[in-house]
Amino acid sequence: MAEINLRRARQIIKGIMARGKEMDLKPLSVIVLDAGGNVKAFERDDAAAPGRFAIAHGKAYGSIMLGMAGKAQMARAEQQAYFMAAVNGVFGGQVVPVPGGILVRDAKDNIIGAVGVTGDTSDNDAVAGLAGIEAAGLKGEA
């Protein structure tokens, strides 16, 4: 199975940060996880709040561990709050089920990692995230 290497993770982050600037978003924080949920790379705009690492991680971590992007997680949380509460308990409170958690797929549609973007509205975070993933030649599922 293909995986996200450090070079590709940095390309994703660079693309996300560039899109955030184009959209005039608030300062972003971005994390890239591999298919096992391990941190591959993280970057935070200078003016971003220090607590954004945990939020970005939670968005990406929930996506990779559940195989479900942030928008789908949010819909599930709205329909079955008890399920997402249980899942969050299983994962030690690390899941943030909102847009901005994006699955990363390769050319064969395999999940090879996840991205978490935070700093602006969750929907804007997802837009910037998808743009960065596509700029790195991969497919994103928000």
Side-chain angles (χ1 to χ4, degrees):
M1 169 166 59
E3 61 181 69
I4 297 176
N5 61 28
L6 184 57
R7 181 185 61 79
R8 185 63 62 88
R10 288 177 174 158
Q11 286 176 332
I12 291 169
I13 291 172
K14 182 178 177 182
I16 293 169
M17 293 300 202
R19 183 68 174 139
K21 300 264 186 272
E22 289 171 11
M23 294 173 65
D24 197 29
L25 300 183
K26 293 177 182 172
L28 297 179
S29 295
V30 181
I31 197 165
V32 179
L33 305 182
D34 65 18
N38 303 297
V39 176
K40 205 64 183 175
F42 172 77
E43 190 169 309
R44 177 174 69 87
D45 271 330
D46 290 336
R52 292 291 179 168
F53 175 87
I55 297 169
H57 183 267
K59 288 181 175 189
Y61 191 76
S63 294
I64 200 69
M65 289 297 144
L66 296 172
M68 182 187 307
K71 287 182 185 177
Q73 289 178 61
M74 187 170 81
R76 185 78 181 262
E78 290 169 348
Q79 295 168 358
Q80 297 177 315
Y82 60 89
F83 173 78
M84 288 308 290
V87 164
N88 222 348
V90 167
F91 292 120
Q94 294 185 68
V95 176
V96 179
V98 297
I102 306 163
L103 290 170
V104 180
R105 296 180 180 272
D106 65 13
K108 295 180 181 178
D109 223 26
N110 297 310
I111 296 172
I112 60 170
V115 170
V117 183
T118 184
D120 204 88
T121 67
S122 291
D123 289 334
N124 282 342
D125 294 342
V127 169
L130 286 170
I133 292 166
E134 290 171 11
L138 296 166
K139 295 186 271 183
E141 178 186 331

